[in-house]
């Protein structure tokens, strides 16, 4: 599967999961990130209580991270930084403008599924900071 096919598959899967499993419409608005956050909270709960689903979430955490990470990345890209593109980097699929300007929503989603918000892995906070990074407004440490 090439990058565009992966993106299309993940976007379609996120929308389908949102509607069919959670009765939430993922419409590429910034507000839809709140729904994704709720879905990820549910995945985290399943992860720490994996006996309830026979460990399926632990087997598929990376898949869900890609599905919802790419959805979040597309919301960022479409609404805040059209000059960013998906690139296959040493860190996996990453939204990149150049080597110095990259964000990795897939990794952050994975961390929220595994660690939960209580460990500081909150997708809504990541989203807000990613907007600042993508717009060049995040303070640099020089």
């Amino acid at each position: 599967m090439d990058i565009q096919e992966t993106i299309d598959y993940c976007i379609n899967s996120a929308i389908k999961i949102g509607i069919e499993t959670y009765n939430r419409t993922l419409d590429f608005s910034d507000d839809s990130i709140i729904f994704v956050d709720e879905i990820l909270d549910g995945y985290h709960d399943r992860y720490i209580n994996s006996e309830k689903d026979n460990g399926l979430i632990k087997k598929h955490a990376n898949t869900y991270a890609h599905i919802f990470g790419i959805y979040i990345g597309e919301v960022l890209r479409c609404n805040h930084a059209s000059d960013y593109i998906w690139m296959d980097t040493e860190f996996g699929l990453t939204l990149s403008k150049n080597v110095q300007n990259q964000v990795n929503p897939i990794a952050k989603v994975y961390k929220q599924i595994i660690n939960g918000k209580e460990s500081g892995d909150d997708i809504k906070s990541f989203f807000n900071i990613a907007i600042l990074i993508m717009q060049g407004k995040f303070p640099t440490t020089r």
Side-chain angles (χ1 to χ4, degrees):
M1 211 183 280
D2 70 13
I3 291 175
Q4 190 57 53
E5 289 173 326
T6 300
I7 292 167
D8 293 343
Y9 171 81
C10 289
I11 294 297
N12 291 331
S13 296
I15 292 168
K16 183 177 179 180
I17 291 168
I19 291 172
E20 292 180 3
T21 306
Y22 295 93
N23 199 30
R24 299 290 193 186
T25 300
L26 301 181
D27 61 1
F28 296 92
S29 68
D30 288 4
D31 290 340
S32 71
I33 300 306
I34 295 166
F35 300 142
V36 173
D37 191 49
E38 292 172 5
I39 292 168
L40 298 179
D41 284 345
Y43 287 162
H44 174 66
D45 184 57
R46 284 176 52 196
Y47 191 87
I48 61 173
N49 298 295
S50 62
E51 69 281 354
K52 291 180 183 178
D53 73 351
N54 297 317
L56 288 175
I57 189 67
K58 289 193 175 192
K59 293 177 187 172
H60 299 289
N62 191 49
T63 300
Y64 289 124
H66 276 76
I67 289 169
F68 288 102
I70 287 176
Y71 174 81
I72 291 164
E74 284 298 290
V75 173
L76 285 165
R77 199 182 62 72
C78 293
N79 297 340
H80 301 285
S82 61
D83 54 342
Y84 275 69
I85 61 169
W86 288 102
M87 294 183 67
D88 196 3
T89 71
E90 64 184 293
F91 306 107
L93 279 180
T94 304
L95 271 177
S96 303
K97 180 176 181 179
N98 52 44
V99 176
Q100 293 81 25
N101 295 287
Q102 299 180 347
V103 294
N104 193 334
I106 296 168
K108 194 61 173 181
V109 167
Y110 185 81
K111 287 181 178 182
Q112 185 168 335
I113 291 170
I114 305 304
N115 302 326
K117 287 182 191 177
E118 59 276 359
S119 295
D121 291 308
D122 175 20
I123 207 64
K124 183 64 175 142
S125 295
F126 166 83
F127 184 81
N128 291 333
I129 291 170
I131 291 170
L132 295 174
I133 291 169
M134 295 172 109
Q135 294 176 343
K137 297 177 183 175
F138 194 77
T140 59
T141 55
R142 290 186 193 191

